[in-house]
Amino acid sequence: ISIRGSSSEQVAIFLDGVLLNQARQGVVNLSEIPLDNIEKIEVYRGTSPARFGTAGIGGVVNIITRSPGEKPQTELSYSYGSFDTYKADVYRSERIKNIDYLFFYTLNRSRGNFKYLDDNGTPLNQDDDSETRRKNDEFLSQDLLLKLGYEWDKWRFNISSDFFSTILNYLF
């Protein structure tokens, strides 16, 4: 993300108020965060609220993940596409008296092994052309979000954990 002409390293990226940039040498791959997991995105240009502590020269982006709802909710989804590409999501949240929880898991996988015409680097010579299968285009990505909340009197305690994993050129 570039804000006001800054580089991506000059924008502080937060996930639920936790800075992601330092753990990744200044660059954050936003494609690893599933869109189904995002409730809203806050963008602050230049100056930012004090709760972030540090701000990049360009500004701050705070990605806020889903929160448990008042009513129990369960969602399951599955989609399938070309080249053995699929995505599966599982979501569950519930509030029981003073305790609430949220569980969200998503899995994306693709073989990416499609056929294409390889001209062997010689577009004018059709004698060396062949149909070839794409290699090293596989990927496997996962995201697991766990949230637990507890309300006591006027206090609220939250525990949250978000795990991302992406493997490129994964051998199926």
Side-chain angles (χ1 to χ4, degrees), residues 8-166:
S8 59
E9 290 107 6
Q10 295 172 325
V11 177
I13 307 291
F14 289 82
L15 180 66
D16 290 329
V18 177
L19 182 63
L20 297 179
N21 296 67
Q22 291 177 341
R24 301 241 172 163
Q25 292 83 31
V27 178
V28 177
N29 185 356
L30 296 175
S31 70
E32 292 179 350
I33 303 171
L35 291 176
D36 300 335
N37 195 8
I38 297 173
E39 187 171 297
K40 66 180 178 177
I41 299 174
E42 300 172 337
V43 179
Y44 301 97
R45 297 176 2 160
T47 59
S48 61
R51 73 176 185 262
F52 296 113
T54 181
I57 294 170
V60 170
V61 174
N62 187 30
I63 301 167
I64 299 171
T65 57
R66 294 169 79 167
S67 299
E70 291 294 322
K71 296 180 181 179
Q73 188 175 6
T74 302
E75 296 175 12
L76 302 170
S77 70
Y78 183 83
S79 57
Y80 183 81
S82 304
F83 317 115
D84 286 334
T85 301
Y86 66 84
K87 178 183 174 196
D89 292 326
V90 178
Y91 170 78
R92 173 72 181 160
S93 72
E94 186 174 8
R95 178 181 299 271
I96 304 169
K97 297 184 182 181
N98 295 353
I99 298 174
D100 57 57
Y101 70 89
L102 178 142
F103 170 87
F104 179 83
Y105 176 75
T106 187
L107 172 73
N108 286 308
R109 177 179 167 181
S110 179
R111 289 191 191 274
N113 57 350
F114 56 89
K115 291 181 180 179
Y116 67 98
L117 181 65
D118 182 3
D119 66 6
N120 224 5
T122 57
L124 300 177
N125 181 6
Q126 295 179 356
D127 293 332
D128 63 354
D129 292 358
S130 65
E131 191 173 87
T132 308
R133 189 166 291 280
R134 173 75 178 182
K135 296 178 185 175
N136 299 324
D137 197 31
E138 307 93 348
F139 74 88
L140 172 69
S141 68
Q142 301 177 73
D143 177 63
L144 175 65
L145 172 65
L146 301 170
K147 288 186 175 184
L148 180 65
Y150 177 72
E151 290 183 9
W152 179 61
D153 201 20
K154 294 181 182 180
W155 294 85
R156 175 155 179 90
F157 301 94
N158 292 311
I159 297 173
S160 178
S161 179
D162 207 337
F163 171 77
F164 302 108
S165 170
T166 300

